[in-house]
Amino acid sequence: MKYITYLSVGVFFGIVMYKSEAASWFRIYEMFQFGSFHMYGIIGSALLLGIIGVQVIKRHHIKTFGKREIRLSPKQKSIPRYLIGGIIFGLGWALTGACPGPMFVLAGAGFYPVIVVILGALLGTFTYGVLKNKLPH
């Protein structure tokens, strides 16, 4: 049953991403050219909803579907960590025209060349997993 819930949420997310044009390469390009507020509005709305969601989880002690308490542990603060990670993420986003969520939306919408990008993202994630203990954190 929980997999159907996850699948339903994922399909809903994909439809919203596609219909809002958040998965559109042209909208992303337009954002990086500072030509339109469209994507900044979507990202800002997602950020605001995320902040509200985390506060609701913390204050009301929301539990998972498995009835376990959700624990949000604080991350280490480090300028190089976020600066380097942000630059790598931003360059990948600018070069491919897609971040992780929209990559799968685009594949589901029939833009099959994005599968190369998905494979690259999976390879990058795997490489990070292999090198994680050797990297400065």
Side-chain angles (χ1 to χ4, degrees):
M1 181 62 186
K2 72 177 180 179
Y3 295 116
I4 292 172
T5 303
Y6 296 146
L7 181 64
S8 300
V9 170
V11 168
F12 177 73
F13 175 74
I15 291 169
V16 169
M17 291 289 286
Y18 190 76
K19 291 294 185 181
S20 69
E21 296 183 354
S24 166
W25 182 89
F26 297 106
R27 285 290 189 182
I28 293 167
Y29 178 76
E30 192 176 55
M31 177 187 70
F32 281 115
Q33 295 290 317
F34 299 105
S36 173
F37 180 75
H38 184 86
M39 288 298 292
Y40 294 111
I42 290 173
I43 293 168
S45 299
L47 181 63
L48 183 63
L49 284 172
I51 290 169
I52 291 168
V54 167
Q55 292 307 311
V56 167
I57 288 169
K58 284 182 175 181
R59 293 180 185 183
H60 297 285
H61 306 289
I62 305 293
K63 299 195 183 313
T64 66
F65 289 126
K67 306 293 183 210
R68 294 189 342 229
E69 183 180 338
I70 298 174
R71 294 185 185 175
L72 303 170
S73 28
K75 303 275 186 192
Q76 289 181 344
K77 293 181 171 77
S78 149
I79 291 175
R81 170 188 195 162
Y82 293 107
L83 185 65
I84 294 167
I87 288 170
I88 292 170
F89 181 84
L91 285 173
W93 192 10
L95 290 171
T96 63
C99 63
M103 288 188 311
F104 294 99
V105 173
L106 290 169
F111 297 100
Y112 298 119
V114 80
I115 292 172
V116 174
V117 176
I118 292 171
L119 292 174
L122 291 172
L123 179 63
T125 303
F126 176 77
T127 303
Y128 173 76
V130 169
L131 300 175
K132 179 182 172 188
N133 294 331
K134 297 177 180 136
L135 297 172
H137 284 99

